[in-house]
Amino acid sequence: MASALPVSLQATKDRLQVAAIDFGTTYSGYAFSFRTDFLENPLKILTNKWESQGGSATLVSMKTPSCVLFSPDGKFDSFGYDAEEKYLTLAMDEQHTRWFYFKNFKMLLYENKNLTRSTQLTDDKGLKMPAHKVFSACIRYLKDHLVNLQSVPGKSLKFREMHWVLTVPAIWDDSAKQFMREAAVEAGIATENLSLALEPEAAALYCRYLPMEKVVDSAGKASIESFAPGKRYLVLDAGGGTIDITVHETLPDGTVKEVYKANGGPWGGTTVDKAFVSFLEEVTGPEVMQIFKTQHKEDFLQLMREFEIKKKTMEPKDDPDAKTMFRMPLAIHETFRTVNGTDFRMSLLLKQNLKDNVTFTGDKMRVKPAQIQALFQKTIDHIVNHLTDIFKRPEVQGANMILMVGGFSESKMLQNALKKNFPSKQLVIPEDAGLAVLKGAVIFGHKPDAIVARVTPLTYGIEIWPHFDASRHPRSKVKMIDGIARCADYFDKHIEADTEVQAGKTFEEKQYFPLTDDQTKMSIKIFASPNKNPRYTDDSGCSFKGKILVNLPDGKTANEKEVVVKMIYGNTELKVEARVVKTGTVLSATLDFLG
């Protein structure tokens, strides 16, 4: 099989089996491969087919919805299509009110900037459950489903030999990454057998291995040259919740470095879903739509499933009268008549902003192109404006390809918008764009060194209390500790934002000592800022990120307990090491971003 470019196929020796879990905002799945197969053909990656028995026909897909159901006593019941269908059955019998049902909840980890181990999730009825419990149960289900149900002719899956890879958006902060790691450990995956893969990186890695006939641009031309050494390209991972962007450069040995820090925003495909629901509320009225969603859950689910399919194929149309058709469930008609005493199709005649764009034929709602375009416009504007700003950056000059991956990348509306706004860029959508992250995560598990350098998104530093110096420190910062005047809130910089860092590299080691002689532990506060040279931890833009926890050595004085701390950058997760200055003894040191 021809490869898109000569990337080294040497796998990590001790990873005989690699399994990846892509836990997405809207859909989730897993994939795995054996080292022997990877060495022969990196794309020999096995996935599961998920089936839904709901509705009039069986639905088969390579991923299952990211929804989970817990019983009234808080015990895990089901995940994916099974959870969706059981919850609908309970709702039809009006037995669902005390059951916990969570859907599209991954965005919490991006949106919550004060994430802790006690953070709560709220379900569709207002019931609350610890987020850690929910995420852990979902990961456990996907892990057990793979281990227990997958069978491979001539081979056996061995849990003790499995290395696990969990995908996370590149724009997540350190607390969200740690949250996912701890949830996976709680789910039964040993932390030493677990890696986190950044989603756009994984997708790009997968595409680099594809035969060139499967990596073509929007004009159908093979794009092997775009991955050649020295070439730069932008990866746009358009998922359900977020748009995740990174810019890569291929190095002469086939490895990759990041040349611009990971970035993006909450402009994934679910924003279009929300726009569609808002449009329906405008058509029917908020009260009708609320009753329909809560009392006719099966019909609402079916309507949204149909929209999910149409969302990928909807595209700009030159003919202003070329309508898109939606089947409107009978329950909407009946609910509107109950609430308003009339047929809501007739009510459109009174809505000046809709009557020319929406018509009905039987139970079919027909919508003109201008209204369809409006569903996507706000989301597309966010993405286009963000990309426009990125392409102005000097670090991104020479990046002439946009590699589109993720489920939302299959949207014709999004593809057309990018073609129109960036005509000089080569737009590439690989085969199976929605599975690129999942399969790429398996490859990353075999080749964790494929990405050799990353760009730090923030300036990281430690809060210290040095001796107060009136010539350098403002009087407002002076604090007396054990009779010594110290400067409070001083930002001791470890690494500057926008620095290119080799994977696993440590920068200048920093020496710290406890404030008092009797301390047995030291809690070192980590702060970060988008600014390159913050002076104090309460400067504008500077925020507390977490703590380094160090168990101190025995000693009579603070000076005898002085330690060297080094933070390790350039990997998918931040790491730390500490040792005693006087003896060189390595100390137990951990990072805690969830305190």
Side-chain angles (χ1 to χ4, degrees):
M1 178 179 291
S3 178
L5 80 172
V7 180
S8 169
L9 298 184
Q10 184 177 354
T12 301
K13 291 182 179 180
D14 58 347
R15 296 181 180 177
L16 301 179
Q17 301 174 11
V18 171
I21 294 176
D22 182 14
F23 184 49
T25 299
T26 50
Y27 292 95
S28 298
Y30 60 74
F32 64 97
S33 77
F34 298 89
R35 178 173 175 268
T36 52
D37 290 337
F38 177 83
L39 293 172
E40 179 183 331
N41 174 12
L43 297 178
K44 191 173 181 180
I45 299 169
L46 303 173
T47 57
N48 186 60
K49 290 184 178 180
W50 304 87
E51 293 187 1
S52 166
Q53 302 298 329
S56 58
T58 299
L59 176 65
V60 179
S61 63
M62 304 306 290
K63 289 186 178 181
T64 192
S66 299
C67 51
V68 60
L69 183 66
F70 292 84
S71 64
D73 60 357
K75 292 182 179 178
F76 171 81
D77 182 87
S78 48
F79 180 83
Y81 287 122
D82 292 341
E84 204 170 61
E85 288 153 18
K86 181 164 183 177
Y87 187 60
L88 291 176
T89 300
L90 289 166
M92 285 189 289
D93 295 334
E94 298 184 354
Q95 300 294 317
H96 68 296
T97 55
R98 294 176 56 240
W99 289 69
F100 298 82
Y101 181 68
F102 300 97
K103 186 173 185 177
N104 296 350
F105 51 89
K106 181 183 173 185
M107 282 296 289
L108 170 84
L109 301 191
Y110 173 76
E111 296 168 344
N112 191 328
K113 301 309 177 185
N114 297 299
L115 191 65
T116 69
R117 295 177 181 87
S118 59
T119 295
Q120 298 274 307
L121 276 176
T122 304
D123 83 345
D124 64 330
K125 302 174 298 300
L127 300 178
K128 295 183 181 295
M129 181 175 284
H132 188 272
K133 177 178 179 178
V134 177
F135 278 86
S136 179
C138 296
I139 295 170
R140 182 185 298 276
Y141 171 82
L142 291 166
K143 177 206 70 171
D144 291 347
H145 195 282
L146 187 160
V147 172
N148 296 332
L149 299 183
Q150 280 290 355
S151 60
V152 182
K155 296 180 180 178
S156 61
L157 289 170
K158 297 178 180 178
F159 181 74
R160 66 181 181 277
E161 294 180 355
M162 189 74 74
H163 186 86
W164 296 84
V165 180
L166 197 58
T167 65
V168 296
I171 57 174
W172 271 10
D173 64 14
D174 299 298
S175 63
K177 292 176 184 178
Q178 183 173 357
F179 188 97
M180 285 298 278
R181 173 171 284 279
E182 291 188 4
V185 171
E186 178 66 24
I189 299 174
T191 192
E192 63 270 20
N193 294 331
L194 175 65
S195 300
L196 300 189
L198 305 183
E199 290 169 1
E201 290 184 356
L205 190 57
Y206 169 70
C207 293
R208 289 162 56 82
Y209 279 96
L210 283 174
M212 58 182 169
E213 66 270 14
K214 294 187 178 183
V215 187
V216 297
D217 62 18
S218 54
K221 297 178 181 178
S223 54
I224 184 172
E225 295 177 358
S226 299
F227 292 114
K231 294 288 186 177
R232 292 183 174 185
Y233 53 92
L234 181 144
V235 185
L236 177 76
D237 177 16
T242 58
I243 298 295
D244 219 13
I245 298 168
T246 189
V247 183
H248 288 165
E249 180 180 327
T250 305
L251 301 178
D253 63 355
T255 58
V256 173
K257 71 173 183 178
E258 185 180 70
V259 296
Y260 184 64
K261 61 188 176 185
N263 58 94
W267 316 308
T270 54
T271 58
V272 180
D273 300 345
K274 292 175 182 176
F276 179 61
V277 173
S278 295
F279 164 66
L280 292 178
E281 288 179 351
E282 193 176 0
V283 172
T284 67
E287 182 182 359
V288 172
M289 199 60 198
Q290 183 61 29
I291 294 172
F292 174 64
K293 288 192 294 184
T294 56
Q295 296 185 13
H296 303 278
K297 291 182 181 293
E298 184 174 19
D299 287 330
F300 179 68
L301 172 64
Q302 191 59 37
L303 178 62
M304 295 309 295
R305 280 183 176 177
E306 291 175 5
F307 178 74
E308 182 69 23
I309 295 171
K310 288 181 180 292
K311 186 169 69 176
K312 295 179 180 180
T313 58
M314 293 174 186
E315 56 186 330
K317 296 179 180 178
D318 295 329
D319 182 357
D321 294 319
K323 299 180 178 69
T324 300
M325 190 168 61
F326 299 95
R327 187 190 68 81
M328 299 299 286
L330 180 61
I332 287 185
H333 296 264
E334 293 176 341
T335 302
F336 189 93
R337 186 176 293 279
T338 299
V339 172
N340 298 290
T342 184
D343 190 324
F344 86 89
R345 292 173 294 188
M346 298 299 294
S347 73
L348 283 175
L349 298 175
L350 302 176
K351 298 181 178 181
Q352 297 298 320
N353 60 328
L354 290 177
K355 68 177 184 178
D356 294 331
N357 285 321
V358 182
T359 58
F360 281 90
T361 302
D363 65 344
K364 306 295 191 300
M365 180 176 69
R366 304 173 70 204
V367 185
K368 285 189 175 181
Q371 191 67 49
I372 294 296
Q373 181 71 42
L375 301 177
F376 291 81
Q377 199 59 53
K378 187 175 181 180
T379 298
I380 285 175
D381 286 347
H382 277 302
I383 298 170
V384 167
N385 291 339
H386 189 75
L387 286 175
T388 299
D389 290 340
I390 289 175
F391 281 122
K392 292 177 181 177
R393 302 283 305 188
E395 309 96 305
V396 184
Q397 298 308 302
N400 295 317
M401 180 181 80
I402 300 174
L403 177 61
M404 295 183 68
V405 295
F408 189 35
S409 282
E410 297 174 2
S411 163
K412 300 296 183 184
M413 284 287 196
L414 180 57
Q415 293 174 12
N416 275 280
L418 297 190
K419 289 177 193 176
K420 179 181 177 181
N421 286 278
F422 305 101
S424 65
K425 306 298 181 184
Q426 183 184 28
L427 196 65
V428 175
I429 307 101
E431 186 178 272
D432 291 334
L435 293 175
V437 169
L438 176 59
K439 291 186 176 182
V442 175
I443 295 174
F444 177 79
H446 287 292
K447 282 187 59 61
D449 57 351
I451 311 295
V452 298
R454 296 178 176 89
V455 177
T456 54
L458 300 167
T459 298
Y460 282 91
I462 299 298
E463 181 185 77
I464 63 171
W465 295 54
H467 289 283
F468 183 81
D469 182 345
S471 66
R472 296 191 303 122
H473 305 142
R475 176 59 58 180
S476 61
K477 292 294 182 183
V478 66
K479 301 288 182 184
M480 299 301 296
I481 298 178
D482 288 349
I484 299 174
R486 295 190 177 274
C487 175
D489 310 321
Y490 191 83
F491 189 103
D492 186 29
K493 183 168 68 175
H494 274 233
I495 191 169
E496 197 170 277
D498 301 322
T499 301
E500 181 184 303
V501 185
Q502 297 295 312
K505 183 177 180 180
T506 59
F507 278 65
E508 178 187 0
E509 294 182 338
K510 300 281 187 171
Q511 295 181 210
Y512 302 107
F513 53 86
L515 292 176
T516 61
D517 293 340
D518 59 352
Q519 279 184 242
T520 59
K521 294 183 179 180
M522 186 158 42
S523 177
I524 304 171
K525 293 182 179 180
I526 305 171
F527 285 79
S529 172
N531 303 316
K532 294 197 173 184
N533 293 295
R535 290 195 66 199
Y536 300 98
T537 58
D538 56 0
D539 285 355
S540 177
C542 201
S543 60
F544 172 73
K545 289 297 180 182
K547 296 173 288 188
I548 300 173
L549 305 176
V550 182
N551 291 321
L552 294 173
D554 294 332
K556 294 181 180 180
T557 67
N559 286 337
E560 290 179 332
K561 299 178 181 180
E562 188 176 12
V563 298
V564 169
V565 173
K566 59 180 180 180
M567 297 173 72
I568 303 170
Y569 303 92
N571 295 315
T572 59
E573 299 171 87
L574 194 62
K575 295 183 180 179
V576 66
E577 291 180 1
R579 59 182 172 80
V580 183
V581 170
K582 191 173 182 179
T583 65
T585 303
V586 175
L587 299 172
S588 171
T590 58
L591 286 165
D592 185 5
F593 296 109
L594 296 169

